[in-house]
Amino acid sequence: TPNGLSALSNGRWQTFKVQDGLPSDRVNCLYQDSAGLLWVGTDDGLAFLDSGKFQTPRTVPASLREPILGLVADSAGSLWITTANHVLRVTRDKLRNGQLVEADISEFGAADGLDGTEGVRRNRSVTHDPSGMIWFSLSSGLSVVNPSRLARSSEPAIVHINAIAADGSPVELSPNVRIP
């Protein structure tokens, strides 16, 4: 809810808030992963419930400290997350253990086929289907990805310059090319 996360246990309600370890009282989404860990997306980032206590991942980029609007896990151990402005894939275990490095986060956008990256406040705005496809409900529409077809990371392209032209005229290739 906008006023914390409420749980009903043994006929009694308990509400968890910032003082209980959540980054914000405004809770936007929940996801329980295959290990039984409950992930909580709030207006100020992520938390997870482990051994009865809410914890926030240490050392996360700014994109994971903004409103988390949807999250789900894939079969390879990644969390797929929509925020107010990003669509991300994050290595779940490294996020949980505070060992997240830049290579453990992939951001997706227009170059990857998305019409936009703005998440929406909607129940299950990120979900997966029985075949493993991840579905995103974004402000720009519905998108889907097959995580098994994405490479975890790729080597950067090696650039080879074969020719240079300026105003239609060839320029001699040399270690230090200067074009006035």
Side-chain angles (χ1 to χ4, degrees), residues 24-142:
S24 167
D25 287 347
R26 185 175 178 104
V27 175
N28 299 315
C29 57
L30 302 171
Y31 179 73
Q32 186 171 16
D33 67 21
S34 59
L37 207 62
L38 179 66
W39 292 88
V40 183
T42 76
D43 265 9
D44 292 327
L46 280 172
F48 57 90
L49 183 63
D50 191 16
S51 302
K53 292 183 181 180
F54 285 101
Q55 300 176 35
T56 55
R58 300 182 305 272
T59 62
V60 294
S63 58
L64 288 175
R65 289 190 303 268
E66 63 183 48
I68 306 295
L69 302 176
L71 61 136
V72 72
D74 64 22
S75 61
S78 294
L79 284 176
W80 289 82
I81 300 169
T82 57
T83 72
N85 298 299
H86 298 91
V87 174
L88 306 166
R89 178 182 61 184
V90 180
T91 304
R92 176 184 51 200
D93 292 339
K94 289 187 177 184
L95 177 63
R96 177 185 177 194
N97 297 328
Q99 301 168 336
L100 196 67
V101 295
E102 207 57 42
D104 299 319
I105 303 170
S106 299
E107 185 167 353
F108 298 89
D112 303 298
L114 294 175
D115 287 335
T117 58
E118 182 183 354
V120 292
R121 293 184 193 275
R122 181 175 294 137
N123 182 38
R124 294 183 54 145
S125 64
V126 180
T127 190
H128 58 83
D129 66 23
S131 68
M133 304 285 272
I134 307 293
W135 293 82
F136 303 93
S137 177
L138 303 167
S139 65
S140 58
L142 191 63

